[in-house]
Amino acid sequence: MPPRRRVPVPAGREAVGVWRSEGTSTARADLATAVRYTLEELASVAPGRSVEVRVPPFGAVQCVEGTTHTRGTPPNVVETDAQTWLEVATGTLAWDAAWESGRLRVSGHRADLGPLMPLA
């Protein structure tokens, strides 16, 4: 079952467009909407609960089919900042390049989301 959308698709696409044109000077509200929208896109493309993707302070989502966790820190986690997440999600930055540069903090054998990127 796909996750329930909290960011309407048109609003999410618009926020991603604003981020693409403004980059690091994007208003916080637009940045938050773009991050939440792309996290929801990831959960739609790869439903499941075996990997948790965190983009503090804007959001987190569980995705990818497989073994699920119910308590404590999940075994498969991806964490990054908003700019890096949007760069990877939109294809501006390759997953492997972000991972190798240390801009993505990745743990667990299922946490390689490279084949799912870019999303938008």
Side-chain angles (χ1 to χ4, degrees):
M1 169 190 281
R4 184 173 63 94
R5 287 258 182 205
R6 294 172 190 227
V7 176
V9 172
R13 288 183 179 157
E14 180 179 345
V16 170
V18 168
W19 173 81
R20 283 182 195 260
S21 66
E22 297 180 6
T24 58
S25 62
T26 303
R28 184 175 171 86
D30 289 325
L31 186 63
T33 300
V35 167
R36 291 178 184 133
Y37 168 72
T38 52
L39 287 171
E40 289 175 0
E41 282 294 295
L42 174 62
S44 293
V45 169
R49 293 182 41 206
S50 70
V51 178
E52 185 167 295
V53 179
R54 302 172 182 164
V55 184
F58 300 116
V61 69
Q62 292 183 351
C63 58
V64 182
E65 288 185 359
T67 306
T68 62
H69 71 280
T70 56
R71 297 179 60 163
T73 301
N76 302 289
V77 176
V78 175
E79 187 167 349
T80 191
D81 62 275
Q83 289 296 329
T84 301
W85 170 250
L86 290 172
E87 289 174 13
V88 170
T90 61
T92 305
L93 176 64
W95 175 269
D96 290 339
W99 190 345
E100 290 167 7
S101 69
R103 294 176 64 186
L104 293 172
R105 291 169 298 286
V106 180
S107 65
H109 68 282
R110 292 181 174 268
D112 180 2
L113 302 180
L116 300 172
M117 299 297 155
L119 297 169

